[in-house]
Every structure is written in structure tokens, then in C-alpha cells.
């Protein structure tokens, strides 16, 4: 017997094939039949006049802090989203050191348009590893969520106040890369950064990643090479890409010169 039968709906399966009228059978949390069902079901949902489709994936969110107080990650589920990806633009809260926490909290309030009071009250800003952050979310969220590790946060952790305005030394870049590798080992989906013109911190200055040299950007992006299935995310400048930006994006994508 099926656990659930969704009958009479218009199925759009996400493969690119045309929409079609079909019933959907579910057992043990998995779709086991699409078409004319020949089994009884413990529960039947009449989907006449409705679309039946897989859940949507939202690949760019900033739920990193909000997961602390909104386990439903609203309003995403109301739009059919069943998986969200966070940790974008280099603005993440894990890993995080105690020394960097205040700056990162204030930066998030600006770049993500969140009230500072809400961030301070709703999120635990004690320093922690990426593993500790993820383990704190286990079995709490109503939908699937994945998180990347962010450049601006790593830069502030390693360089302190010098993260804004100064170039990183080779040793500092190596330390940032080591932190990225650790987070990727612990389940981060990728590495993200930003060179976007609009990304400024709470003081109005560019966020830390915007001060990275080309070598730093390429080195940090190359960390994902050692972690199959991970990815790079970058927020580029507004407007048409310059030849310099195209060269940078290409080098980051191939992991070197």
C-alpha cells in the first residue's frame, strides 16, 4: 500500500519534458509511481487543477543567521522551496572566532539588510567551527539547507582590523585557505566571495574580500579542488565585466594561472 497518493494533478517533473496529467504515489518518503496508480493509499490528496512538481532549490539565500530563530526559513516553503543554499557572497557565520564575531554581525546587518538588534538577539555569536554550526542545526530545520564558507569572514578571522584596507601576506592567505579546507572537510558546500561594488561593511568601507589580491582570490578558490562536489560562488562588480574581471573569474574557475 502507498503512504500517499496525489491524484488528478498536472505533473511537471523538472526534466524538461512536457506537463502531463498523472497521479503520483509515495511510499516511505519517496515517489515510487507516476501515472495511473494501481495501489491503494493510506492518504489521498485531490490535486485537480493544481500542479504537482518537485520542490524548488533556491541557490542564493542569506539564511545563515536566520536559521537560529526561524526553523521554517519562511517565506521560502510558501513558494514551494524545499532546499536553500546559504553562505553566499562571502558573508558567513561559521567558522567564526570570538574576536571576529562583532564585526561579522555588524557587517551582516548592512549587507543583508537585517536589523542589528534582531541579529544580536536571535543568533549565537560565540565563536565556533563549521562542524559545530552544522551540528547545532541537525533535525531542526523544516526544509533542506546547505552552507558555504565565506571569504570576508575568514579574512576578518585571520587579519583582524587589517582585513579592511590591507593586502594579506602569504602566511595569512595560507591560514585562510587552511580554515576553508577545514570547513569543506566538515561539510561546507563551497567557497564564496565578493568583489561587488555595493558590498560595504557597517562603517561604509568595502567588505574584507574586496581588498583581496588576484593571487589571494585564486588561492582561496582553488581550495574547492580538493573537495569533490563543492563549488565557487562570487559576486562580481555591477555592469559589464572588464577584461580584468573575466581573467580573474577564469583563473578562479580553473584553480590557477
Amino acid at each position: 500500500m502507498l503512504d500517499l497518493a496525489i491524484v488528478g494533478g498536472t505533473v511537471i517533473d523538472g526534466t524538461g519534458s512536457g506537463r502531463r496529467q498523472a497521479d503520483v504515489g509515495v511510499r516511505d518518503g519517496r515517489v515510487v509511481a507516476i501515472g495511473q496508480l494501481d495501489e491503494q493509499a493510506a492518504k489521498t490528496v485531490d490535486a485537480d487543477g493544481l500542479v504537482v512538481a518537485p520542490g524548488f532549490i533556491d541557490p542564493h539565500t542569506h539564511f545563515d543567521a536566520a536559521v537560529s530563530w526561524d526553523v521554517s526559513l519562511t517565506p521560502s516553503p510558501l513558494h514551494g522551496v524545499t532546499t536553500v543554499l546559504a553562505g553566499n557572497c562571502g558573508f558567513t557565520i561559521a567558522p567564526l572566532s570570538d574576536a571576529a564575531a562583532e564585526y561579522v554581525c555588524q557587517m551582516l546587518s548592512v549587507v543583508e539588510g537585517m536589523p542589528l538588534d534582531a541579529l544580536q538577539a536571535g543568533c549565537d555569536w560565540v565563536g565556533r567551527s563549521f562542524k559545530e554550526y552544522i551540528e547545532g542545526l541537525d533535525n531542526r530545520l523544516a526544509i533542506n539547507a546547505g552552507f558555504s564558507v565565506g571569504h570576508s569572514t575568514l579574512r576578518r578571522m585571520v587579519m583582524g582590523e587589517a582585513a579592511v584596507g590591507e593586502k594579506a601576506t602569504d602566511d595569512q592567505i595560507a591560514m585562510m585557505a587552511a580554515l576553508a579546507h577545514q570547513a569543506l572537510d566538515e561539510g561546507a558546500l563551497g567557497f564564496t566571495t565578493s568583489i561587488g561594488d555595493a558590498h560595504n561593511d557597517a562603517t561604509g568601507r568595502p567588505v574584507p574580500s574586496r581588498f583581496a589580491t588576484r593571487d589571494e582570490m585564486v588561492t582561496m578558490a582553488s581550495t574547492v579542488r580538493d573537495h569533490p562536489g563543492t563549488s565557487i560562488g562570487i559576486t562580481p562588480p555591477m555592469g559589464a565585466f572588464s577584461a580584468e574581471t573575466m581573467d580573474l573569474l577564469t583563473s578562479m574557475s580553473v584553480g590557477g594561472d
Side-chain angles (χ1 to χ4, degrees):
M1 174 179 282
L2 298 170
D3 297 325
L4 173 66
I6 305 172
V7 301
T10 299
V11 172
I12 301 177
D13 62 16
T15 65
S17 60
R19 62 178 63 199
R20 64 192 188 278
Q21 294 294 124
D23 301 332
V24 176
V26 179
R27 183 186 298 115
D28 296 329
R30 301 182 68 87
V31 173
V32 296
I34 301 176
Q36 185 174 350
L37 303 181
D38 56 8
E39 291 185 66
Q40 297 294 314
K43 179 180 180 180
T44 299
V45 174
D46 182 1
D48 182 41
L50 303 175
V51 169
V52 182
F56 294 101
I57 299 173
D58 186 343
H60 193 118
T61 76
H62 289 282
F63 279 128
D64 305 75
V67 294
S68 299
W69 65 78
D70 182 5
V71 296
S72 295
L73 302 185
T74 53
S76 291
L78 302 177
H79 298 293
V81 173
T82 56
T83 299
V84 298
L85 304 184
N88 292 290
C89 305
F91 310 136
T92 55
I93 63 174
L96 185 64
S97 64
D98 289 338
E102 182 178 357
Y103 173 87
V104 171
C105 178
Q106 293 177 352
M107 177 180 68
L108 288 181
S109 73
V110 174
V111 296
E112 298 182 15
M114 295 183 179
L116 182 59
D117 290 346
L119 280 171
Q120 291 172 331
C123 189
D124 181 1
W125 291 100
V126 175
R128 52 192 162 177
S129 67
F130 189 88
K131 181 180 180 180
E132 291 169 331
Y133 173 69
I134 292 298
E135 288 179 344
L137 300 177
D138 281 353
N139 302 316
R140 292 184 61 242
L141 302 182
I143 61 176
N144 303 310
F147 303 84
S148 290
V149 57
H151 194 179
S152 281
T153 299
L154 295 183
R155 214 169 194 269
R156 180 70 187 199
M157 287 174 63
V158 170
M159 299 178 64
E161 292 184 3
V164 173
E166 297 186 20
K167 295 181 180 180
T169 65
D170 290 345
D171 287 345
Q172 289 171 332
I173 294 173
M175 291 174 64
M176 283 186 267
L179 287 170
H181 278 297
Q182 180 179 343
L184 292 163
D185 281 334
E186 294 173 349
L189 297 182
F191 167 79
T192 66
T193 187
S194 172
I195 52 175
D197 314 72
H199 283 157
N200 298 316
D201 66 15
T203 69
R205 302 187 70 190
V207 295
S209 63
R210 291 179 60 190
F211 292 96
T213 62
R214 181 184 185 279
D215 287 345
E216 179 182 335
M217 283 287 191
V218 172
T219 298
M220 294 306 298
S222 69
T223 59
V224 305
R225 182 172 50 197
D226 298 327
H227 305 271
T230 58
S231 63
I232 305 166
I234 181 170
T235 303
M238 294 183 289
F241 289 175
S242 66
E244 181 181 5
T245 298
M246 289 297 295
D247 175 69
L248 173 63
L249 297 180
T250 301
S251 296
M252 290 175 68
S253 297
V254 300
D257 295 333

